[in-house]
Amino acid sequence: MRTVYVNGEYMPETQATVSIFDRGFLMADGVYEVTSVLDGKLIDFDGHAARLERSMIELDMPALPITMAELLEVHRELVRRNDLSDGMIYLQVTRGAPGDRDFVFPDPEETAPTMVLFTQSKPGLADSATGRNGIKVISIDDLRWGRRDIKTVQLLYPSMGKMMALAAGADDAWMVEDGHVTEGTSNNAYIVKDGRIITRQLSTDILHGITRAAVLRFAREAQMEVEERAFTIDEAKQADEAFITSASAFVTPVIDLDGTPIGTGQPGPVAPRLREIYLEEVRKAAI
Ligand code: PMP
């Protein structure tokens, strides 16, 4: 049984509870982060902590009751208590439980945020079949709200997108708005054409992936050309390669889009190389 963290306390998962009045439950008024763990160490904790703070500020949530140094300790303690080698730490903060349902935000003096963290064990996370062989994606309309740069727990549409992909015999969906790909259901989307890595520019249209930032930095350091701009589904179908990035998928090749094989229909060479560089660098910097 897992040990989880709820509002300052560690407890068995079966004893962990949150109020029915919690605004995360009633209104999806909450934000989250997922930090990967490899060999018992946290990958890019600082990036996830910084984005958490930004998400909370953008939603006018009161500051966390603990410092980022203490939050790091909570992550580490959960790794220790759960003997976690490879997997993820899920963190969620909501605007708390005011004791009733109301559209008006509660007074932060009276209602403290709810914070929960738990571990997810994924042995061999960095050596997955999808990481090696790639995934198939379908395209769907992007029907999400307009502040996708805030990492909220409003994940119903991405979850439906994933189900549409599975129903179509694919692994995931790329979302399309105004004719251009925004991102995957839970990852950032890329194509490679003539050696150039193309991915949508940052804006409120997409989540500012922590893995995206690292991968683009490593790509530039390796003298690869990076173009941050929106691309279409047709362009993606004619690309040499495609891939996604996220904290738990790292860099994963995309080999098929709406039934059209991308490039040779096999991973490589750019995505597997980036995956290798990314894993090597983040393992070195893991804490
Ligand atoms: N876009 C969306 C919509 C996501 O949900 C995620 C993963 N949470 C990402 C991109 C990738 O972000 P990260 O690299 O920080 O995991």
Side-chain angles (χ1 to χ4, degrees), residues 229-243:
R229 64 162 176 88
F231 58 86
T232 65
I233 288 293
D234 276 349
E235 216 182 337
K237 285 182 178 166
Q238 283 155 35
D240 302 324
E241 279 182 60
F243 63 93

Side-chain angles (χ1 to χ4, degrees), residues 32 51 144 151 183 185-188 207 209-211 246-247:
Y32 75 109
R51 186 172 61 189
R144 297 173 300 164
K151 198 165 170 57
E183 57 190 331
T185 60
S186 60
N187 44 67
N188 290 113
L207 187 73
I210 302 305
T211 319
S246 77

